[in-house]
Amino acid sequence: MRIRGRFLLGICNGFQVLTEAGLLPGALVRNRDLHFICDRVPLRVERNDLPWTQNYQPGEVVTIPIAHGEGSYYADTNTLAEIEANGQVVFRYCTTEGEVAPSSNPNGSLNNIAGICNRQGNVLGMMPHPERASDPILGGTDGIRLFKGLLQQLAKNYG
């Protein structure tokens, strides 16, 4: 499947589709404790050099809701090493202070991975729901910056 450099975002089940279609490496499997999880969790922004994350600071901790039963990111050892070496991890589950620790991992994702991109950075898959943190009435606005960043890039490209 080719997307010719266009931007593609997969949230939650959309992230699963991106991995199943081969557009992103790895897979999403049942949560560590086999329970559906619905909560607001802290994420650490690993990269801010992508259109998606240009409105965040590197290492910034944001709070984004999760709601999933099959949200644990899995990849074999070689694939995991490759995405880490290539800087493809965009978001990680963390403590409110930004520490990546087993206790801050809600679903058992390897390396606390909450979101990854392809090598080019135009395909992003993430298990948390930024759209559910995009308006004060929803309880938070940390997610709106992801969409604003993309819109800013599109305005540069096509405006």
Side-chain angles (χ1 to χ4, degrees):
M1 179 181 293
R2 294 193 53 202
I3 59 167
R4 299 187 182 107
R6 293 185 178 100
F7 294 105
L8 184 58
L9 173 63
I11 298 169
C12 198
N13 294 75
F15 186 10
Q16 289 176 306
V17 171
L18 293 176
T19 61
E20 291 170 7
L23 293 171
L24 290 175
L28 284 301
V29 298
R30 295 284 299 158
N31 293 341
R32 172 187 49 232
D33 297 326
L34 304 178
H35 292 105
F36 184 86
I37 304 168
C38 185
D39 202 356
R40 294 183 178 279
V41 298
L43 304 178
R44 188 173 74 193
V45 178
E46 298 294 298
R47 294 182 60 179
N48 77 332
D49 62 337
L50 299 168
W52 316 99
T53 56
Q54 64 181 323
N55 291 325
Y56 299 103
Q57 297 301 313
E60 180 178 354
V61 176
V62 296
T63 302
I64 306 289
I66 57 171
H68 57 260
E70 295 179 350
S72 180
Y73 182 78
Y74 174 82
D76 64 63
T77 304
N78 291 337
T79 301
L80 196 59
E82 187 177 299
I83 65 170
E84 292 285 359
N86 292 332
Q88 290 175 253
V89 178
V90 181
F91 298 103
R92 286 188 208 274
Y93 299 110
C94 66
T95 66
T96 55
E97 294 78 32
E99 179 189 354
V100 175
S103 62
S104 63
N105 188 335
N107 56 27
S109 288
L110 295 179
N111 294 14
N112 284 44
I113 291 172
I116 62 170
C117 65
N118 64 347
R119 285 187 183 192
Q120 298 77 22
N122 62 308
V123 177
L124 172 64
M126 59 188 299
M127 193 48 55
H129 287 269
E131 78 283 4
R132 295 183 185 180
S134 294
D135 191 283
I137 200 164
L138 298 174
T141 59
D142 285 346
I144 193 69
R145 290 185 280 162
L146 183 137
F147 300 108
K148 286 183 176 180
L150 179 60
L151 289 174
Q152 288 166 341
Q153 185 64 46
L154 291 172
K156 282 185 206 173
N157 291 356
Y158 303 106

